[in-house]
Amino acid sequence: MQFFHIAKTVEDVHNEMPAFHSHPYYELDFLVKGSRSLFVNSKLFAMKECCVAVTAPYELHKFENHSYSRYLLCVSEEYVSDGIKDFLKMLSESSMLSYQEENWKTILKVLKRLLAIYESADDEKQIKISLHLGYLFYLMSFDYLSAVPIVNTVKNTNPLTLRIAAYLKEHVAEQVTLDELCTKFHISKSWLNKTFNKDMNCSVIDYHIKLKISQAKYYVRESSIPFNKIAASLGFSSANYFSIIFKKMVGVSPQSYRKNWLVNR
């Protein structure tokens, strides 16, 4: 399904990280002012001005907001050419990039113009959006080699929490228990529960299930794999239990999620 959206938002207060979530499209977050924290790909990033965060479709992530202003650009793979699709995939593998100030100013000007076109009633709106979007990605690719991936984690986050999160992602298809994690990382259950909840704002089990459902959303939409096989491949005890958890977290059943995608693609 072709999808494009752009908006500019400003926040003047600190917000704790909301619930983990994922989308069936690329999400690009261009930070104009302020600072944010981003958890994605089992890593926690400190986001500053002149940075863009790129999150791939179905990638579980969440932000912690301080005072900031940003441009949010969302675009589906079906909306762009194969070349841009490959470029977005490459960017998302780094998760976050910083740009030189001069090029960043030009990027922001294009975003401002793109937003004005998006909100207009221009008869040639779609054509102009496509042209400006192509120019935006050209600017980003031109500076890509000099862009610096940010790898420093946010302070006060226990490094072991990130290792556990990475382990859970690597074993998304399995049923990982707390006992297994405690043995693997040589920690107690009480330490695991307390520290993981503090750093991630959710329990270990909840986080692992969110990873499974995020992967399930991809399988449901992008394939014709039967739901019972999807459930089995992600370590759910039954197709019925999988459907219950999917509906609870996504808001609709796997059947409706796939049907809506097929109708609107």
Side-chain angles (χ1 to χ4, degrees), residues 83-185:
I84 291 178
K85 190 189 305 182
D86 291 340
F87 177 62
L88 286 172
K89 181 180 179 182
M90 182 171 62
L91 291 183
S92 67
E93 290 172 353
S94 295
S95 298
M96 193 178 300
L97 302 166
S98 64
Y99 284 85
Q100 299 296 323
E101 186 175 354
E102 284 305 310
N103 193 46
W104 185 250
K105 289 179 179 178
T106 306
I107 288 174
L108 294 183
K109 287 179 181 178
V110 176
L111 287 166
K112 182 178 180 179
R113 178 58 182 156
L114 192 55
L115 177 60
I117 296 170
Y118 179 74
E119 294 178 339
S120 73
D122 194 325
D123 291 338
E124 298 180 344
K125 179 176 177 177
Q126 293 304 320
I127 295 175
K128 291 181 178 180
I129 285 177
S130 296
L131 290 173
H132 281 74
L133 193 59
Y135 182 48
L136 173 66
F137 290 134
Y138 165 75
L139 290 172
M140 293 177 68
S141 65
F142 181 77
D143 199 49
Y144 178 72
L145 293 178
S146 61
V148 182
I150 298 174
V151 296
N152 294 329
T153 60
V154 178
K155 294 180 180 179
N156 301 322
T157 299
N158 195 297
L160 190 53
T161 297
L162 302 180
R163 288 176 56 198
I164 293 170
Y167 181 86
L168 292 172
K169 184 175 181 180
E170 292 171 5
H171 296 79
V172 67
E174 303 170 21
Q175 293 183 356
V176 179
T177 66
L178 294 181
D179 287 335
E180 177 184 338
L181 291 173
C182 290
T183 300
K184 171 73 177 178
F185 294 99

Side-chain angles (χ1 to χ4, degrees), residues 170-205:
E170 292 171 5
H171 296 79
V172 67
E174 303 170 21
Q175 293 183 356
V176 179
T177 66
L178 294 181
D179 287 335
E180 177 184 338
L181 291 173
C182 290
T183 300
K184 171 73 177 178
F185 294 99
H186 309 288
I187 52 178
S188 67
K189 278 188 182 180
S190 60
W191 187 96
L192 173 60
N193 287 324
K194 181 180 179 180
T195 306
F196 196 92
N197 271 276
K198 174 180 174 292
D199 290 340
M200 305 294 282
N201 288 339
C202 69
S203 70
V204 173
I205 301 303

